[in-house]
Amino acid sequence: MYKKFFRLKENPFNVNPDPRYLFLTHSTQEALACLTYGIETRKGFILLTGEVGTGKTTLVNKLLEWLHKERVSTAFVFNPRLSVSQFFDFMMADFGIPCESRQKGQMLMKLNQWLLERYQAGERAVLIVDEAQNLSPQMLEEIRLLTNLETSTEKLLQIVLAGQPELEQKLNQPQLRQLRQRITLRAKTRQLTLEETKGYIQERLRIGGAEKLDLFSPEAVVAIHRYARGIPRVTNLLCEHALVSSFVDQKNPVPQETIEEVARDFELDTIDPTALPVEPSNGDAHSIPNIPSKNGDQPQLIESLMTALNTLVDRLNQAEATIETERERKR
């Protein structure tokens, strides 16, 4: 019902990584160009990193969309918490390579033969691993060894590792220096500036079918950027819940005070959405610049999100019931 109130055709702030909603900031365009260039020129290993919620998976989905249009063979591993054998099984199945044997040596021979056939046909193959910060050092080493599948001049398999900043920290470990040295290109997703946040909101409203792009007051946009810290996922969260709250209160455009209220519901006034959970040392809480900090931010943030969501659902149900009662009375 709030979509009808704001004259929207679809929910513009869905948190799903829909590539249609990819907002091309300068840094996003740079990252996408880096990925496509690396694959087209067979650079081998490409690293994509960025803070949680800055659009890595959306960017990867956009890349996959382009690869499918180019008829490039792909394998997309979105859950890296796999054993070595499970990883190889998944990769082979996603590439569509039949292999009866479950022995790694046999699978590698099949993969090498298949990659050579693709190469001879002028085709490319790309392995993309999302959430790669969760890969074990052993699994990262296994992936590195896949780059040994090559001709004298070209890499047969292009590999994209996408993950949070912790992935870069993991790659700095001495035992992974061989892998680190093989990374030829690095791309990053970054947090939005205030001006980019304004453009991001308007672009999503446009794609969502909004007749007007000023559904949020200028003051509300500033508040969104302040609480979301430029994180697109948190921006989506604030915007969607602010639209529902404004529908309940019958306010259009969304005012600043609604953003403030939603931010308090999610405790974004006290919890930095980019902060890592840190174990307290000597009983002291870790500190976050400009924001009061609490121990165990991550579990507390999840709890506050669930509480706020339940409250919002209750308010929305009450509003719909009130509107339905009013309709019955008019009849």
Side-chain angles (χ1 to χ4, degrees):
M1 294 182 73
Y2 86 85
K3 287 189 290 187
K4 183 177 179 181
F5 178 72
F6 288 106
R7 298 183 178 179
L8 293 164
K9 292 180 181 177
E10 60 182 80
N11 177 7
F13 298 107
N14 198 315
V15 294
N16 292 336
D18 187 340
R20 292 182 304 134
Y21 283 94
L22 180 67
F23 182 62
L24 293 174
T25 64
H26 176 73
S27 63
T28 306
Q29 286 178 312
E30 201 173 63
L32 187 58
C34 177
L35 293 168
T36 54
Y37 169 76
I39 290 168
E40 285 183 324
T41 55
R42 297 181 181 272
K43 290 296 184 181
F45 252 118
I46 308 170
L47 184 68
L48 171 64
T49 56
E51 182 56 72
V52 177
T54 52
K56 293 184 299 297
T57 304
T58 304
L59 187 61
V60 165
N61 284 344
K62 188 70 174 180
L63 177 66
L64 283 166
E65 189 179 76
W66 172 74
L67 290 171
H68 293 156
K69 286 180 182 177
E70 295 290 311
R71 299 186 181 279
V72 176
S73 299
T74 62
F76 179 38
V77 180
F78 51 85
N79 178 12
R81 294 186 181 275
L82 302 171
S83 66
V84 173
S85 61
Q86 289 171 334
F87 185 93
F88 274 89
D89 282 345
F90 189 96
M91 178 183 64
M92 297 288 281
D94 215 21
F95 273 135
I97 305 171
C99 186
E100 295 178 2
S101 174
R102 288 296 173 264
Q103 293 183 358
K104 189 174 72 172
Q106 290 295 318
M107 285 193 280
L108 284 173
M109 288 177 60
K110 279 278 189 180
L111 177 62
N112 190 52
Q113 179 185 355
W114 180 82
L115 288 172
L116 282 170
E117 290 171 358
R118 301 281 77 70
Y119 178 73
Q120 290 163 359
E123 300 173 1
R124 287 160 292 173
V126 181
L127 168 65
I128 301 175
V129 184
D130 201 6
E131 302 293 345
Q133 75 279 352
N134 293 321
L135 289 168
S136 66
Q138 179 193 7
M139 193 65 247
L140 283 166
E141 179 63 11
E142 291 289 344
I143 293 173
R144 179 190 71 82
L145 292 173
L146 290 175
T147 59
N148 289 335
L149 302 173
E150 57 187 354
T151 68
S152 58
T153 58
E154 303 276 8
K155 296 290 184 185
L156 295 178
L157 180 62
Q158 312 309 305
I159 301 173
V160 177
L161 293 181
Q164 296 167 17
E166 297 92 299
L167 175 59
E168 294 188 73
Q169 297 170 14
K170 182 172 284 189
L171 292 174
N172 285 332
Q173 297 177 32
Q175 67 266 35
L176 293 174
R177 62 188 181 279
Q178 291 189 70
L179 172 56
R180 185 171 66 250
Q181 291 171 5
R182 293 202 181 193
I183 296 170
T184 54
L185 291 170
R186 294 172 181 257
K188 288 181 181 289
T189 56
R190 303 184 187 278
Q191 293 159 239
L192 302 172
T193 64
L194 174 58
E195 194 61 31
E196 288 170 344
T197 295
K198 179 180 178 181
Y200 176 85
I201 292 170
Q202 290 183 340
E203 179 66 4
R204 293 190 77 100
L205 288 172
R206 184 190 66 78
I207 297 171
E211 296 178 7
K212 295 168 54 182
L213 300 182
D214 57 349
L215 296 185
F216 294 85
S217 70
E219 297 78 13
V221 173
V222 172
I224 290 168
H225 179 261
R226 182 169 73 252
Y227 288 114
R229 298 292 189 274
I231 301 292
R233 183 183 297 162
V234 183
T235 299
N236 289 351
L237 182 81
L238 282 169
C239 287
E240 179 170 15
H241 287 268
L243 285 176
V244 175
S245 289
S246 291
F247 160 68
V248 171
D249 298 331
Q250 297 291 287
K251 293 179 180 179
N252 187 359
V254 178
Q256 177 183 347
E257 52 266 26
T258 299
I259 304 299
E260 303 275 357
E261 179 185 343
V262 173
R264 284 194 298 273
D265 286 343
F266 289 123
E267 297 191 23
L268 291 172
D269 55 335
T270 59
I271 300 176
D272 186 338
T274 67
L276 290 170
V278 177
E279 291 296 326
S281 176
N282 299 324
D284 295 328
H286 64 284
S287 60
I288 301 171
N290 303 322
I291 297 182
S293 175
K294 301 176 183 179
N295 290 339
D297 275 354
Q298 198 70 17
Q300 184 178 5
L301 180 57
I302 293 171
E303 183 179 348
S304 66
L305 290 176
M306 294 303 298
T307 301
L309 179 61
N310 291 332
T311 302
L312 200 56
V313 169
D314 290 341
R315 290 188 66 195
L316 185 58
N317 289 336
Q318 291 171 8
E320 290 178 346
T322 301
I323 292 171
E324 190 61 35
T325 301
E326 185 65 19
R327 283 179 180 169
E328 290 295 330
R329 188 184 64 79
K330 289 180 178 179
R331 289 175 187 167

